[in-house]
Amino acid sequence: MRYIISLLFLGVAAFLFFTFADPKYREIGSLRVERGSFNSALQNLRELAVIQDELLAKYNTIPAADRTRLNKMIPSEVASDQLMVEINQLASQNGLAFKAIDIIEEGASPGRGRGREATPAAAEIKSGVQSPVLNFRVGGTYQGLRLFLEDLESHIRITDLGEISFDSPAGELGFIDVEFKGMTYWVK
């Protein structure tokens, strides 16, 4: 009888273990794995915070004047209105008439006219830099055009011109209309 009671208690203990304790034990094992992944993610966040602090320290070593110059060179937004004003000023300084500008978003149809016609952001380059397509037209003399191109070349805002089209208006001897197609850049 003693053996039967012992075997009965042993059977009840095994039943309770496999019914209640084993699932909880398995749940604890999965929680340990999950805790390991959380600890790994937390370690990655700490490493990223250290890298962020290093980059911020490097950024803060750049003089304010140079940071301002970099922001003008590749701004944090397209700033189409400001770009239009800058191109207009360069054209006016060199005796050219600013006629139109288009900032073309990828997949958008180009607009025509004076001012911003399309929304920013065409092709995205790796590192988060956007390069909207830029089309603009000016009119004037060849000498003014040559000086305008020299000024545009040394202008602080990065502008890549890929295509230039010339047209001579009827009845206006010595004057040319020039259309430029290219890209400008901004940091996303």
Side-chain angles (χ1 to χ4, degrees):
M1 182 79 159
R2 215 169 169 192
Y3 291 114
I4 294 176
I5 293 177
S6 295
L7 285 175
L8 184 64
F9 280 135
L10 187 60
V12 168
F15 173 76
L16 289 175
F17 174 76
F18 287 113
T19 305
F20 298 108
D22 190 45
K24 294 293 180 185
Y25 182 73
R26 290 181 186 183
E27 184 179 334
I28 290 171
S30 68
L31 289 175
R32 284 183 179 153
V33 169
E34 190 175 337
R35 182 182 68 183
S37 68
F38 284 143
N39 286 338
S40 174
L42 185 61
Q43 181 62 30
N44 288 341
L45 283 175
R46 288 182 184 134
E47 291 172 7
L48 287 174
V50 168
I51 292 170
Q52 180 184 13
D53 291 342
E54 290 172 359
L55 289 174
L56 187 58
K58 285 181 184 179
Y59 179 78
N60 288 334
T61 61
I62 300 172
D66 289 345
R67 282 191 300 231
T68 302
R69 190 169 162 87
L70 281 172
N71 287 335
K72 285 181 182 177
M73 190 178 298
I74 302 179
S76 59
E77 58 184 27
V78 172
S80 302
D81 298 333
Q82 180 64 30
L83 181 61
M84 181 181 70
V85 168
E86 290 172 1
I87 291 175
N88 187 21
Q89 286 175 344
L90 288 175
S92 296
Q93 290 170 1
N94 295 297
L96 297 177
F98 180 73
K99 295 188 174 187
I101 188 168
D102 294 327
I103 310 282
I104 302 170
E105 180 180 352
E106 184 177 14
S109 60
R112 278 280 174 233
R114 189 168 179 85
R116 183 173 59 189
E117 297 293 336
T119 56
E124 183 174 349
I125 301 172
K126 281 186 177 175
S127 73
V129 175
Q130 295 279 343
S131 59
V133 176
L134 171 68
N135 295 338
F136 63 95
R137 289 189 327 233
V138 295
T141 64
Y142 175 77
Q143 181 65 23
L145 174 65
R146 202 172 61 80
L147 294 172
F148 172 76
L149 287 174
E150 288 174 6
D151 286 349
L152 188 62
E153 181 180 17
S154 62
H155 190 259
I156 193 165
R157 177 95 181 244
I158 297 176
T159 307
D160 289 335
L161 298 178
E163 188 178 319
I164 301 176
S165 304
F166 296 92
D167 186 26
S168 180
E172 294 187 37
L173 190 59
F175 285 93
I176 54 174
D177 282 336
V178 184
E179 184 171 354
F180 297 93
K181 293 181 181 180
M183 292 188 301
T184 187
Y185 301 94
W186 64 284
V187 178
K188 183 175 182 183

